[in-house]
Amino acid sequence: MKITTLVAVSLLAVSVSGCKLVKTNKDDATGAAAEPIAELVETTFDAKLVPALSQKAVDLTQLRDAIKSGLDKAGESHGVRVGGAGGGWNFAVKGTANVINENRASKAAVADIDIDGDGKADATLQLGPVVKGSALRDTTALYDFSTFRDQIEYARLGRALNDKAVSKLPTADTPLKGKKINFLGAVVIRSATEQPLIMPVSIEVAQ
């Protein structure tokens, strides 16, 4: 009797408590799982991730003051730690700020923001297209690592969420320097002395 091989078919299940991504017959070593990852991002980014960040977000001025009393204490009150005791704290953040500098020359474009009116940069907003980190993926309970095939697939999700966020930010045709803005995003902080590098999901010019 000939033995045939049965190929598994994928199911993508998304829920409020977590998002499940299981094996697909398109998965391979070349990254063919990109299609279900893209679908997951499309179905959750606006509908679930942005509202979750908005609900959890702490004002950046408030967070900065809280960190002065200890990063771990601030993290326990406002953040989520990924990677155990040695990992950074992920925070959903929001605020109103003045953009005091903007660098669009690099592919890793950024804008430096002043939140207290002293004319000095208090944080940096990533504008992309090249951005760092996975705070958008890690700050809420929406994307559960245990439901993904492996770390590679989970990393793809982080990059896809960043790309989606960048696509919603003001482009170089809309200069931000000198403008007052409102922003919402996520940041990972590993040291009480570091300047926050925020991945925004929205930047709105207030004036």
Side-chain angles (χ1 to χ4, degrees):
M1 178 185 293
K2 293 184 179 180
I3 299 176
T4 60
T5 302
L6 297 178
V7 180
V9 178
S10 67
L11 291 175
L12 183 65
V14 180
S15 68
V16 173
S17 60
C19 299
K20 187 172 184 180
L21 186 69
V22 295
K23 285 187 178 181
T24 168
N25 60 354
K26 294 184 179 180
D27 289 350
D28 60 30
T30 65
E35 184 176 344
I37 289 289
E39 182 179 350
L40 179 60
V41 171
E42 286 300 315
T43 57
T44 62
F45 190 91
D46 290 318
K48 295 182 180 180
L49 178 59
V50 173
L53 290 173
S54 182
Q55 183 176 20
K56 291 187 62 174
V58 58
D59 190 90
L60 186 57
T61 302
Q62 179 186 348
L63 179 60
R64 184 179 64 169
D65 291 342
I67 289 175
K68 291 178 182 178
S69 298
L71 177 57
D72 286 346
K73 184 177 180 180
E76 290 167 1
S77 297
H78 304 291
V80 175
R81 172 168 268 169
V82 177
W89 287 99
N90 292 270
F91 300 94
V93 292
K94 63 182 178 181
T96 299
N98 295 314
V99 179
I100 60 174
N101 194 32
E102 181 180 13
N103 178 7
R104 294 280 191 173
S106 168
K107 288 185 177 180
V110 294
D112 294 326
I113 59 172
D114 170 22
I115 61 174
D116 56 16
D118 66 356
K120 298 179 181 179
D122 299 303
T124 300
L125 301 179
Q126 301 192 80
L127 303 176
V130 177
V131 298
K132 299 177 182 178
S134 56
L136 294 182
R137 182 196 67 192
D138 298 337
T139 299
T140 74
L142 188 59
Y143 308 106
D144 183 356
F145 172 71
S146 67
T147 62
F148 288 78
R149 183 184 60 183
D150 53 31
Q151 185 62 49
I152 294 174
E153 189 171 73
Y154 201 48
R156 289 193 188 115
L157 172 64
R159 290 192 297 271
L161 289 169
N162 288 343
D163 290 344
K164 182 68 172 179
V166 167
S167 74
K168 294 180 170 292
L169 300 180
T171 66
D173 296 333
T174 307
L176 297 175
K177 185 176 180 180
K179 304 288 182 62
K180 178 178 284 188
I181 61 165
N182 299 313
F183 65 88
L184 171 68
V187 61
V188 57
I189 299 179
R190 298 178 177 85
S191 166
T193 59
E194 73 178 278
Q195 181 166 293
L197 181 64
I198 300 166
M199 185 63 242
V201 294
S202 69
I203 297 175
E204 298 177 352
V205 176
Q207 66 178 35

